[in-house]
Each structure stands twice: as structure tokens, then as C-alpha cells.
Amino acid sequence: MRKIISDYHLHSEFSGDSTQNIEDIVKKGIELGLEEIAITDHLEYDIEGMTDNWILDVDRYTKRVLELRDKYKKDIDLKLGLEVGVQPFTKDYLESVVKKYPFDFVIASSHAIDRIDLAFGEIQAGKTKDQVHNLYFEYVLQNVEKYSEFNVYGHIDFVTRYGGEKFRGLDYKKHFDIIDEILKKLISKGKGIEVNTSGFRYGENRFYPCTDVLKRYFELGGEVITIGSDSHIKDYMTMDFDRVYDFLESIGVKYISSFDKMQPTFKKIK
């Protein structure tokens, strides 16, 4: 039977899009036999229409995660994580927040372009699929070039999730050049990518990034990779992880990353 090591993308009641009790997440991780989990609630900033419930109380969040880490330390290694919604012009503010707290692990994600949330549909209006996808990857590249206070880039091609059926599916060959730039820049900065299994739940029947992007990352010499469910309810934890582990092994990848105080170590896939 496959041993699942960890889940490195989990959301709780502290995120604007979840009501899941955070302690129940920890208990579920123990029930699943995981070695470690990372709570990675959203830190979003300067997005049009963002409501107050999206403003993360980082003091209260940090305090609660550290309390639970101590309470359950004999049963599971609980990581203080964060998912930061990055835009090029928010770097100074967001990185100042990250530096202020003892985070173990930070995901950088592109949820918005020029203050407009991808989920709203405004960005896609009047554009072709390839235009939207190229715009998104250009924005990701800008973020990768500017930001340093993160460990992995999250769901790096999930732009296909938004805008309806017309925008589904990534034509990797059409965007090969800019995706290569992104991956090379990440590797040169010692950063990794996450494999995010939520694409199966959102009807895309794949994980993010697609297998072509993952293969290319490793071909280029990338080594840092985490696997996350992006769950907002505890029942989705580690969902479809077997598929990721099987794929990674099929391309010769033997290790996934673990983080402590923003520094990676490596755990062998079992």
C-alpha cells in the first residue's frame, strides 16, 4: 500500500474561502497517518472587490497554528505555512508580512492580474484562450522575477480552471518558451513548484501543473517539489495523491520536499 508522506496545501477557517475547523484538519492528518502537514491559508492583498473576510489575521493565525503544533507534536509535524496571492506591485508589503513571522513554508500563487481576480471572468472577456493563457504566464514570470520570500510556486498553470469550457486545457507547445523561462528562473533562485491535485475536483481531470510542465521542470534540473490537495474541507486531504506519486516515479523522481523554517529537505517516496 502506498505511503502518503504529507499534504502541503491546506486551508482552514482562517482563509476567506473556508470554514473548516483548523484543529480538525490536524486530527484528519493524524488519522491518515501523515508525517507532516502544512496549513497554508490565504494572504491576499490589493484585489478589486476583496471582502473583509479575505483579510488574514496573521497574528491570530500564527498563534493558533503554533499552539496546535505543540499540542500534537508527538503525532504529526505541523508546519506554519501561507499561500500568498502575489502581484508584481504588492511585493514590498507581502514580503514584509512573510518576514515578520516564523513561517516554515510559503506558496506563491497568481490569483489575480492587475488587481482583477481570475475567477471574476473580466480578464477572459474578449480574448482567445491563448491570449489569456499567455497573459497569465507573463504575469507569473514577472512575479517569479520579483519575489524571493517563497518556497514553491502554486498550481502554476491553473489559469485553465477559469472562464468556462472555452478556456479549458493547456496547449503546452504554444506557451513552451515562456513556461521554460518561468521554470529556469525558479530553479536559478532555488525555488520549486507544487503539484496541486485540485484539478481533478474541478473537472479538469488533471493535476496542476500538467505532466508536460512537470517533466520539463525536472529535465531542467529542478528538484524542489511539494504535493498539495488545496483542500478547503478536511475530507479532500491527500485526494488523488496516489496519481501524483505514480507519475513522479514513472519519470524517475524519487523525492518530495519537506520544509522547516523555509529550508527544504527531501523525503523519499515510499
Side-chain angles (χ1 to χ4, degrees), residues 58-68 80:
V58 189
D59 285 339
R60 194 165 66 89
Y61 169 66
T62 301
K63 182 174 182 288
R64 183 60 175 145
V65 173
L66 295 181
E67 286 173 352
L68 292 170
L80 175 62

Side-chain angles (χ1 to χ4, degrees), residues 54 79 120 152 156 192 263 267:
W54 278 97
K79 306 295 185 179
F120 291 170
V152 302
I156 205 164
Q263 297 302 311
K267 295 197 172 187

